[in-house]
Amino acid sequence: MNNESFYWGAATSSHQVEGNNHNDWSEWEKANADRLANDAQKRQWPRHLSEGSPSPLERSNYVSGRACEHYTRFSEDFDIAKNLGHNAHRLSLEWSRIEPEEGVFNEEAIGHYREVVQALRARGIEPFVTLWHWPLPLWLRDKGGWKNADNVRYFVRYVEKAVSALGPDVTFWITLNEPLVYTKISYLEGRWPPQEKSYISYLRVSRNLIKAHKKAFGVIKRLQPASQVGIAHNMSFFEADKSHVINGFLKWFGEWRKNFGFLNAIADYQDFIGFNYYSSYVVNLNFDKVKTEQTTDMGWAIYPKGIYLMLTRLKKYRKPIYITENGLADAKDEKRAQFIDEHIFWLKKAIADGADVRGYFYWSLLDNFEWSDGFWPRFGLVAIDYLTQERSIRPSALIYKSIIEKADMRRVGPEGGK
Ligand code: FCB
């Protein structure tokens, strides 16, 4: 692997950046924005929020609305990515645009995404395309969404349509984004649409998503045998608190539930492992986060070594690995450069120790709509002023650029390079 074939870039998702979407999330936002703004009174927020940020106490923070207008400004955004030295970009297709009504495919929307992937190619940027990054078309929500096993066929039909249309320009497909995060928050904790709290539904949705992935995998490979297909799977590093032997068992359970149970279930149905890395836990009865001095604006602990410890555990799957997301909310851009630098340091060490890592996508290229937390968390390499839609490149983005330029991935490979 040399630096040319190592993919460096950033990730986004349709609902979080495009603006003007009509799906189950956009409806839910409008119905829940007042409640979320109200609940925010009880929460602690970082004092320093960026200019042009709606406050977490305002309704507008929780409604995706125009978002970053990336749907119309994608060329400008890809110029920025190119100037930042990226040679790959992860994006998602918005199912509700492509199939706004059951069985009715919108050729204009499909044409739009064709333009998007071609715009990336024209800049020498490899597209990694996610087919589903959480929101559902309204008609599918009304049919019970992922809870209804019958609905898997609609996903398969949509995948067939999207892959037939974009296949000539796309090699890397990610069927689903973080299926277990979605099932947990939407169906167990009941905090995201459709806000259920049912263990049975949670299991059912998880099972249907696995089924959907396997079928989609088959369809994509049939249409495009040379494609590379995987899932972006959120995994955490777990460490047992030494205070009690039972914590060893809890650690095993946590790892199985969050990381490996799912990977094992799809092991024969993926060409690569897509790994989203954000968190680490010390396992005791509370599943505490690893205690670190550094946290993000959202209070997430920063533990770069965890990426290394996880990557070495993933070697046993003998598949190429892409870090499909890794990033932090940091409005002041005080910690981002070091965050990226340290995660890449540990990533290189994992490669030197035999992990077959072939790409890294920072989350996110742009500040964007962070689901039920709304606009205030600032994940972007590029800041967005939501009043003017002005883009400004954060200093850390230039440091990431220089890391990319200097990285010689040939030197870090286990045998001095592959
Ligand atoms: C991940 C999601 C992504 C974004 C980041 C911060 O879990 O995949 O959409 O919200 O977290």
Side-chain angles (χ1 to χ4, degrees):
M1 187 195 319
N2 59 31
N3 216 19
E4 258 71 76
S5 60
F6 192 91
Y7 291 119
W8 294 107
T12 59
S13 88
S14 53
H15 188 67
Q16 295 177 274
V17 295
E18 282 182 349
N20 198 24
N21 274 319
H22 301 286
N23 53 37
D24 65 334
W25 261 91
S26 61
E27 297 271 292
W28 184 84
E29 289 155 22
K30 283 178 231 148
N32 287 274
D34 287 330
R35 175 181 62 80
L36 292 169
N38 205 33
D39 289 353
Q41 312 270 6
K42 293 172 241 145
R43 288 174 67 183
Q44 292 268 321
W45 308 100
R47 274 169 291 114
H48 51 259
L49 292 169
S50 297
E51 292 288 312
S53 222
S55 140
L57 304 175
E58 283 171 59
R59 176 187 164 83
S60 61
N61 180 60
Y62 302 96
V63 180
S64 57
R66 299 192 304 162
C68 315
E69 294 185 347
H70 178 71
Y71 198 79
T72 48
R73 294 174 183 254
F74 66 91
S75 303
E76 176 188 348
D77 294 337
F78 295 161
D79 281 343
I80 297 175
K82 174 82 193 152
N83 288 335
L84 291 176
H86 300 189
N87 66 356
H89 179 73
R90 178 175 168 225
L91 69 136
S92 78
L93 307 182
E94 180 57 36
W95 186 357
S96 61
R97 287 187 190 269
I98 293 180
E99 192 180 1
E101 285 171 52
E102 182 185 338
V104 180
F105 289 90
N106 181 337
E107 291 304 327
E108 219 178 291
I110 294 173
H112 166 84
Y113 288 115
R114 198 179 286 120
E115 252 183 74
V116 166
V117 291
Q118 288 175 354
L120 288 169
R121 284 243 171 268
R123 290 164 177 78
I125 300 178
E126 182 74 31
F128 278 59
V129 178
T130 309
L131 287 151
W132 181 70
H133 198 126
W134 299 346
L136 289 175
L138 292 170
W139 59 267
L140 191 65
R141 172 200 66 183
D142 296 342
K143 285 177 180 289
W146 287 115
K147 216 165 87 173
N148 184 347
D150 267 359
N151 289 345
V152 167
R153 66 195 155 110
Y154 296 114
F155 181 66
V156 175
R157 182 175 66 180
Y158 150 72
V159 168
E160 181 146 17
K161 187 84 187 168
V163 173
S164 310
L166 305 180
D169 295 301
V170 179
T171 302
F172 292 92
W173 295 100
I174 292 168
T175 55
L176 308 172
N177 180 68
E178 298 187 352
L180 296 191
V181 171
Y182 170 80
T183 41
K184 177 166 166 262
I185 306 185
S186 289
Y187 286 91
L188 205 55
E189 298 175 356
R191 292 192 291 115
W192 286 356
Q195 284 196 282
E196 272 200 42
K197 279 191 192 179
S198 149
Y199 195 65
I200 304 273
S201 300
Y202 163 76
L203 291 178
R204 194 182 284 172
V205 172
S206 308
R207 196 189 53 201
N208 291 339
L209 284 167
I210 290 174
K211 207 153 116 196
H213 166 74
K214 288 183 175 173
K215 291 203 164 179
F217 178 86
V219 167
I220 303 172
K221 296 308 262 187
R222 172 168 57 73
L223 291 171
Q224 219 191 331
S227 59
Q228 292 288 299
V229 186
I231 285 187
H233 183 33
N234 183 312
M235 290 185 270
S236 303
F237 172 69
F238 291 88
E239 200 179 328
D241 182 336
K242 304 273 180 317
S243 63
H244 202 289
V245 280
I246 195 155
N247 295 336
F249 168 75
L250 291 175
K251 165 185 177 297
W252 173 86
F253 177 75
E255 285 180 335
W256 172 81
R257 195 201 64 76
K258 184 141 199 245
N259 302 340
F260 304 120
F262 190 82
L263 270 190
N264 294 341
I266 58 158
D268 296 333
Y269 297 82
Q270 58 178 357
D271 297 312
F272 61 86
I273 295 176
F275 174 19
N276 290 4
Y277 176 67
Y278 289 97
S279 52
S280 297
Y281 295 91
V282 171
V283 184
N284 50 34
L285 281 173
N286 298 322
F287 275 82
D288 291 336
K289 295 264 160 132
V290 170
K291 303 260 182 310
T292 59
E293 290 179 4
Q294 295 275 16
T295 53
T296 75
D297 286 352
M298 297 179 84
W300 301 357
I302 299 177
Y303 186 55
K305 190 178 175 184
I307 203 170
Y308 166 80
L309 295 166
M310 270 307 295
L311 283 169
T312 49
R313 305 268 324 257
L314 295 175
K315 284 196 287 188
K316 65 179 177 203
Y317 290 97
R318 299 181 171 280
K319 299 268 169 164
I321 304 166
Y322 295 92
I323 304 300
T324 34
E325 285 181 33
N326 173 235
L328 82 168
D330 177 21
K332 287 281 189 211
D333 204 38
E334 287 165 345
K335 301 176 182 170
R336 188 171 283 103
Q338 193 184 348
F339 178 101
I340 295 174
D341 192 38
E342 290 184 5
H343 281 83
I344 291 173
F345 168 85
W346 286 108
L347 179 151
K348 285 187 185 168
K349 180 154 170 53
I351 296 176
D353 290 352
D356 186 7
V357 189
R358 300 190 185 181
Y360 174 87
F361 293 85
Y362 175 80
W363 180 274
S364 176
L365 178 64
L366 310 169
D367 284 339
N368 61 55
F369 181 73
E370 176 54 22
W371 309 109
S372 57
D373 285 291
F375 286 110
W376 76 262
R378 298 288 187 148
F379 279 90
L381 294 171
V382 177
I384 304 277
D385 181 322
Y386 291 109
L387 300 175
T388 61
Q389 287 294 331
E390 197 188 321
R391 273 86 171 126
S392 15
I393 293 170
R394 293 203 164 102
S396 57
L398 299 173
I399 294 183
Y400 180 33
K401 179 180 183 178
S402 70
I403 293 173
I404 297 172
E405 282 166 356
K406 280 191 220 119
D408 182 355
M409 302 316 268
R410 275 170 299 204
R411 282 154 159 255
V412 295
E415 297 94 36
K418 291 186 243 168

